[in-house]
Amino acid sequence: SIGASCGPAAVCAQRLVEALGDRDWEVQFVALEAIRGLGAAVAPALPEVFRKMFGDQEPPVNEMARQIHAEYLKMRGKTSAEKVPEVARLLRRLADKSWEVRKEAIQDLAEFGLGAAAAVPHLVMSVLDEDFDASVAATKAVERMHELGVLGSFDERVPEGGSPVKLVEGLMPLLDEEDPRVSLHA
């Protein structure tokens, strides 16, 4: 069954991420709406979602991406990152008033690699840093965590920090969507 293997559902989720690259902002928006419904399984899509938060996108696309970002942070809640002394030291530096110190801490966390996995929610939050350079560094750090497999993938049944994924349940209702661009990607 599709639900047992998550294979076809993973392909559908990946197609939604690919739809974020469409030139039509409405397609991007609809894809983001569908991605939003993935719950904790949204983690593998975070780097692409972050790209939609800023830049030349239409305001509804920016806003939907920000909502996904906020909901992910709310879902993740507190982490055990504070229990690792080096990571805890870097997390304290993320609160520094100096953007240079924050940016350096973000880059150090990215270099820490898998050892900083518990700090992912803090890195995700840093994507909204008021300083552009620190925000870009945070986006790159989350991409690094994604490359290392910390965020999981749509091929897995259990994403980073979550319970078993039921992508099929999130995607099946989209097959009946009136907008053909939604049903096509689902």
Side-chain angles (χ1 to χ4, degrees), residues 84-174:
V84 180
E86 180 62 16
V87 173
R89 182 184 68 76
L90 292 170
L91 290 177
R92 284 191 297 276
R93 292 177 63 208
L94 287 180
D96 197 280
K97 291 181 182 179
S98 166
W99 69 268
E100 291 102 341
V101 171
R102 291 192 310 272
K103 178 182 173 187
E104 185 178 312
I106 291 165
Q107 291 171 330
D108 289 348
L109 283 167
E111 288 177 22
F112 209 61
L114 294 175
V120 166
H122 300 278
L123 292 171
V124 169
M125 190 175 308
S126 295
V127 169
L128 293 178
D129 192 288
E130 61 192 33
D131 177 75
F132 178 77
D133 290 334
S135 175
V136 169
T139 301
K140 289 179 180 178
V142 172
E143 288 175 353
R144 167 103 169 106
M145 293 295 155
H146 179 55
E147 290 166 2
L148 293 172
V150 173
L151 299 179
S153 76
F154 291 121
D155 296 323
E156 298 173 355
R157 298 184 72 180
V158 182
E160 165 268 335
S163 54
V165 179
K166 296 181 178 152
L167 288 174
V168 173
E169 293 170 11
L171 294 172
M172 287 302 281
L174 298 174

